[in-house]
Amino acid sequence: MRIFSAPTSQLPPIGKVRQYSVEDLAKALRYLRNIYNPEVRGTRRVDTKERLSSPAALDGHSSYLSSQTFLDAMRSDAFERSHAIRWLTTVVSQAYHFSDSSDADSANAAAQEILLQDAASLLAVCAGPASAGILSRTFRFLSEGGDISVQLTDIPLQNQDYSSVGAQTWGGSCLLAEMLAASPEKFILPMVRDGDIAYWRALELGAGTGLASITLAKILERRADNFDAHPATVVASDFHPSVLANLENNIKANLLPPVPNHTRLSISTHFLDWSHFMQHKPRTHPFDEPFDLILGADIVYEVEHANWIKACVEQLLRKPGLAGTQIPSAHFHLVIPLRPTHLLECRMVEEVFNFGDAERSDLTPSVPHPSHSLCIMSKDIITCEAHGDVRARGDARAAEVEYVHYVIGWCVIGSQICM
């Protein structure tokens, strides 16, 4: 139910709840869940297309913007939340007395039981920590070794400080986590090194609630036997203190602490300011060593971010080994949504990284001494279903969300080789 109206006007009257069918009450429950415990928008893949050019301008998404404004207002309205709690309490207390057009049978009894459980669950959300804007969700992803489940907590913005937007789980991180689970071989390269270098390191920029980092760590846990005696490391980084605190709690809630003498996998949280890399400040642990994989989802929402991120990745992504070595190439996977309000920020990504093709003016044999430069190696446009807080209004595009997935790696300037 995706209607722009408050619970006090949308829900069946409390005094007449018993007169409504289970189906009608279930619709009302879905409406309340969209407000107080919504799914993350745009996470179910529909289509993937390889693109080599810049994205076209998008329009027709004003319904999402209006819907989000409405939802934010409803969640912060104490009176509306109180009414929703009273309504849910009534539903739970009278769940087995609802009228229904069909005769009582096992199917109807099952529907009533589901309604009771859903209402009780949502009541706990509305009356518990979520009353302060805290949401808990469970994400499940299909994977060859068995489904991966991640339990996350979102927390509200700190005094409307939008640098703390990572306190919520965004669709891009859901998509990236799903891609990690479905095709880990595209992200986790074989751990083959020269000499004594036999470890594997991954970094997530702007990790937020930690969905991608935790999913990656769970995949690595299953592959721990492949690490021999050398550890694999996942570093989940962010900027805002409240985001980092929530990120650490989410990691602790999902992953067992390291067992003594069995430290082949470690995951940790760290503060990271991308802008510092523009100033070439000294790097401290754990950023004093390069990473084999860098992840970023929904992290470009200011114009300057693309330049900061490039400077950061240039210094932190492991450079290719010498010719003839067995060190695998390192990559930066970036997923960003094609938001109509952030098209300039999206275009900046392609301007600062460029594409690693033979037509680039700086990839010419005239360069006397080849060096490495970050280039976009591939670009996919991924279409996902929107749900929960989006209303299609007859426009198919409004019921979908588009993301761009960039794979960025090292190009050898002067030889037109991408690695």
Side-chain angles (χ1 to χ4, degrees):
M1 186 178 296
R2 301 163 183 172
I3 299 177
F4 288 65
S5 58
T8 48
S9 60
Q10 180 65 36
L11 295 174
I14 290 177
K16 299 181 179 180
V17 163
R18 293 176 61 174
Q19 300 176 20
Y20 285 79
S21 68
V22 171
E23 181 180 358
D24 289 337
L25 294 173
K27 290 180 180 178
L29 275 175
R30 288 195 293 271
Y31 161 82
L32 282 180
R33 189 171 293 281
N34 285 339
I35 296 177
Y36 296 113
N37 195 21
E39 296 179 72
V40 176
R41 176 178 183 264
T43 60
R44 298 168 182 164
R45 279 189 284 178
V46 176
D47 187 29
T48 301
K49 296 179 181 178
E50 184 176 355
R51 301 283 179 88
L52 297 178
S53 59
S54 297
L58 302 178
D59 55 16
H61 291 256
S62 60
S63 62
Y64 166 65
L65 301 176
S66 300
S67 173
Q68 190 61 47
T69 301
F70 163 76
L71 290 169
D72 291 341
M74 287 301 98
R75 289 173 192 142
S76 61
D77 190 317
F79 177 78
E80 292 295 338
R81 183 185 292 273
S82 177
H83 178 79
I85 290 173
R86 290 197 303 271
W87 187 88
L88 287 166
T89 301
T90 301
V91 171
V92 171
S93 64
Q94 303 188 37
Y96 294 105
H97 302 285
F98 303 133
S99 63
D100 195 278
S101 57
S102 61
D103 295 331
D105 53 25
S106 58
N108 190 51
Q112 289 178 342
E113 181 64 27
I114 292 173
L115 176 68
L116 173 62
Q117 293 176 1
D118 288 348
S121 173
L122 188 54
L123 178 59
V125 168
C126 291
S131 62
I134 298 174
L135 298 176
S136 293
R137 301 185 181 92
T138 299
F139 298 87
R140 291 183 175 84
F141 305 106
L142 298 177
S143 185
E144 282 188 4
D147 292 356
I148 292 176
S149 177
V150 180
Q151 178 75 34
L152 292 185
T153 296
D154 292 9
I155 59 175
L157 296 179
Q158 293 292 309
N159 299 318
Q160 298 303 309
D161 180 358
Y162 288 94
S163 66
S164 65
V165 293
Q168 283 93 48
T169 303
W170 294 85
S173 62
C174 298
L175 176 59
L176 183 55
E178 181 196 350
M179 294 164 63
L180 281 163
S183 304
E185 69 281 355
K186 295 181 180 179
F187 299 85
I188 304 172
L189 299 175
M191 298 184 63
V192 179
R193 293 288 184 267
D194 282 351
D196 293 331
I197 305 176
Y199 51 86
W200 188 87
R201 288 163 51 83
L203 167 68
E204 184 179 7
L205 303 177
T209 58
L211 181 55
S213 290
I214 294 170
T215 302
L216 176 61
K218 285 178 174 282
I219 295 170
L220 291 170
E221 277 186 325
R222 296 176 177 179
R223 299 182 170 208
D225 292 340
N226 297 333
F227 301 156
D228 196 19
H230 301 277
T233 298
V234 178
V235 176
S237 67
D238 215 292
F239 175 83
H240 200 281
S242 65
V243 175
L244 281 168
N246 185 58
L247 172 60
E248 185 169 359
N249 288 335
N250 281 335
I251 289 175
K252 289 179 179 178
N254 283 275
L255 298 167
L256 294 174
V259 178
N261 302 320
H262 186 77
T263 57
R264 290 179 292 182
L265 169 65
S266 67
I267 179 170
S268 58
T269 63
H270 290 273
F271 168 85
L272 184 62
D273 185 345
W274 307 331
S275 66
H276 284 181
F277 293 88
M278 300 292 289
Q279 306 164 32
H280 299 283
K281 292 187 176 183
R283 289 181 282 158
T284 58
H285 179 79
F287 307 109
D288 52 348
E289 296 184 60
F291 292 88
D292 302 274
L293 172 68
I294 298 180
L295 303 172
D298 248 319
I299 59 175
V300 182
Y301 49 90
E302 299 290 348
V303 174
E304 62 268 23
H305 284 174
N307 282 302
W308 292 356
I309 290 168
K310 182 180 180 181
C312 179
V313 174
E314 279 180 331
Q315 296 183 51
L316 296 181
L317 188 67
R318 189 186 301 278
K319 287 185 170 62
L322 299 175
T325 64
Q326 293 182 309
I327 299 179
S329 299
H331 294 132
F332 169 38
H333 289 260
L334 176 63
V335 173
I336 57 176
L338 292 177
R339 294 191 182 100
T341 54
H342 288 75
L343 287 178
L344 177 59
E345 290 81 351
C346 295
R347 292 193 180 104
M348 282 297 294
V349 171
E350 296 185 7
E351 289 184 16
V352 302
F353 285 103
N354 291 314
F355 285 90
D357 55 36
E359 296 180 2
R360 282 182 49 202
S361 60
D362 58 340
L363 286 177
T364 61
S366 61
V367 179
H369 299 289
S371 60
H372 296 103
S373 175
L374 288 174
C375 303
I376 296 173
M377 303 171 63
S378 66
K379 169 187 174 182
D380 294 326
I381 304 295
I382 302 172
T383 302
C384 294
E385 292 180 351
H387 52 277
D389 58 353
V390 178
R391 181 172 151 183
R393 295 188 177 184
D395 185 352
R397 291 179 304 169
E400 296 177 343
V401 181
E402 284 193 320
Y403 295 90
V404 187
H405 172 215
Y406 296 106
V407 179
I408 296 169
W410 294 108
C411 290
V412 180
I413 299 178
S415 63
Q416 300 181 5
I417 298 175
C418 289
M419 309 183 73

